[in-house]
Amino acid sequence: MKLLSIETSCDETAAAILEYENGYLSVLSSVVSSQVALHAAYGGVVPNLAAREHVRNIIPVVEEALQLSKLTPNDIDAIGVTKGPGLIPALLVGVSAAKTLALAWSKPLLDINHLEGHIYANCLSGTKGEAKEANLPFPLLALIVSGGHTQLILMRDHFQYELLGETEDDAAGEAFDKVAKMLGLPYPGGPEVAKRADAFRTKEGNPKAHLFPRPKLTNKDYDFSFSGLKTAVLYFLKEHTEQIADETFVAQVSHEFQEAVVDVLVGKTERAIQEFQPKTVIIAGGVSANKCLRERMTETVAHYEGTIFMMPPFEYSLDNAAMIGAAGILRFAKMSEREREALRSNATTLEPTAHLPLIHPQIIPQ
Ligand code: KG4
Ligand code: ZN
């Protein structure tokens, strides 16, 4: 079974082709055209500019994905596209392209939640061309950390999502990006802060001055808040304006901020492990590329016998279409013929949704 997937929820135009055979998933091709250079001049993603770039790039990106896979449209069983959450002008381009292809090629069209895609990136192999068993032992605890979302999700089975808690204000990735701006680092800020923090850790041996608070760490719920932490960094920088040009100072602030975020993310996840005793813990979304988070989560989960830790391969941590394909093809594989036929109406009716919640989006009554 083969599926073409399309992702345009933010500033990456992406298409991929996935194959699913005997429980194994392989990425036949994955193309990502990044708009980072375009948006860098504005210090953030400009939705209408993103949409224009998607319009320019979507056909070449889909064509390249097909060429690299050495397949023709006849070989494709279904198409999957990101329905949301994301920027509407950006989502519209991918959804329109996917609807057009689904109509022209007469294929079933699946709408996929972007966050669901980040979760299912954990089923992909990071080795090119390698098939990986799509095995996620349940119950599963997913920490979603992207530019727009920070959520703890409990999954008792495939595609069943229970929201345990989420951020009340900024997402973790958003906080990284805003702190980067305060430090005068280029966009996108998350990886820039992480790079300086990691260099500081390596050089200084991971000292912790606890300059910044760990918001909500000791609260009994699973909600997060990163706005106060960001403001604490702002006030600290205002008190030390004379040092802002000093590279070591910037590296230390980056390190202290990263430690505060990681302490909260890992601490809350650990409490959920104790309460729900999941078989699997995963991280998902752009911040899952963070080395410090990956290391600390690996160490923490190792203390819990019977719980394994999985993380997405680096190349599928940030936005891409292979993760949308992974969620899409596994959904398609589990559907009845009737459910697959019902997907054909999406080619005329599908609409993007900016704030799409991660709950049973595609269950069709028998
Ligand atoms: O999932 P993603 O690519 O896009 C959204 O769905 O939002 O996540 C992007 C976010 C950005 O805020 C970016 O700064 C952050 O992920 N990010 C990182 C790292 N790499 C990307 N944050 C911390 N450390 C990183 N290495
Ligand atoms: Zn994302």
Side-chain angles (χ1 to χ4, degrees), residues 124-342:
L124 298 173
S125 166
T127 310
K128 213 167 177 272
E130 185 186 84
K132 185 180 167 195
E133 193 176 3
N135 186 23
L136 296 176
F138 296 103
L140 177 150
L141 185 66
L143 174 69
I144 298 183
V145 272
S146 69
H149 293 79
T150 300
Q151 298 184 331
L152 257 175
I153 303 271
L154 182 66
M155 292 174 69
R156 298 185 196 272
D157 201 351
H158 279 293
F159 312 118
Q160 310 285 313
Y161 309 103
E162 224 174 283
L163 180 65
L164 300 181
E166 63 186 330
T167 184
E168 290 171 355
D169 38 60
D170 290 356
E174 193 179 353
F176 264 96
D177 295 338
K178 286 177 177 168
V179 165
K181 240 183 201 174
M182 293 175 203
L183 290 169
L185 303 177
Y187 164 87
E192 297 293 330
V193 171
K195 212 186 327 175
R196 281 154 185 86
D198 291 343
F200 187 84
R201 274 201 300 162
T202 312
K203 196 163 156 230
E204 308 288 337
N206 200 15
K208 289 192 202 183
H210 282 263
L211 296 180
F212 306 124
R214 270 66 173 158
K216 287 183 161 288
L217 179 56
T218 54
N219 289 27
K220 291 275 172 278
D221 59 28
Y222 294 111
D223 289 333
F224 300 87
S225 166
F226 293 107
S227 169
L229 170 57
K230 176 193 69 186
T231 310
V233 176
L234 180 69
Y235 284 139
F236 184 81
L237 294 179
K238 278 192 175 156
E239 284 162 19
H240 298 83
T241 42
E242 73 293 348
Q243 282 176 278
I244 194 79
D246 176 25
E247 273 178 30
T248 309
F249 173 77
V250 168
Q252 186 189 6
V253 172
S254 299
H255 164 68
E256 288 288 336
F257 166 75
Q258 177 171 275
E259 287 297 322
V261 174
V262 170
D263 276 354
V264 174
L265 294 175
V266 174
K268 292 265 176 185
T269 306
E270 183 166 17
R271 183 124 43 73
I273 297 173
Q274 289 162 355
E275 182 173 348
F276 298 101
Q277 298 173 4
K279 288 213 174 89
T280 315
V281 174
I282 64 164
I283 48 174
V287 184
S288 73
N290 185 276
K291 221 173 125 206
C292 178
L293 176 64
R294 290 167 92 95
E295 285 171 12
R296 286 276 302 284
M297 206 64 108
T298 305
E299 280 164 27
T300 303
V301 181
H303 293 132
Y304 294 87
E305 218 178 296
T307 304
I308 56 162
F309 177 56
M310 289 166 69
M311 47 195 163
F314 272 114
E315 64 267 50
Y316 302 128
S317 289
L318 300 175
D319 288 351
N320 66 90
M323 67 185 198
I324 302 301
I329 205 163
L330 291 176
R331 268 187 181 282
F332 194 66
K334 287 182 188 299
M335 283 180 179
S336 64
E337 269 314 312
R338 184 172 166 270
E339 287 172 317
R340 289 179 185 175
E341 275 311 302

Side-chain angles (χ1 to χ4, degrees), residues 342-356:
L343 291 175
R344 291 186 185 276
S345 65
N346 270 341
T348 46
T349 59
L350 187 61
E351 287 178 9
T353 306
H355 302 285
L356 183 66

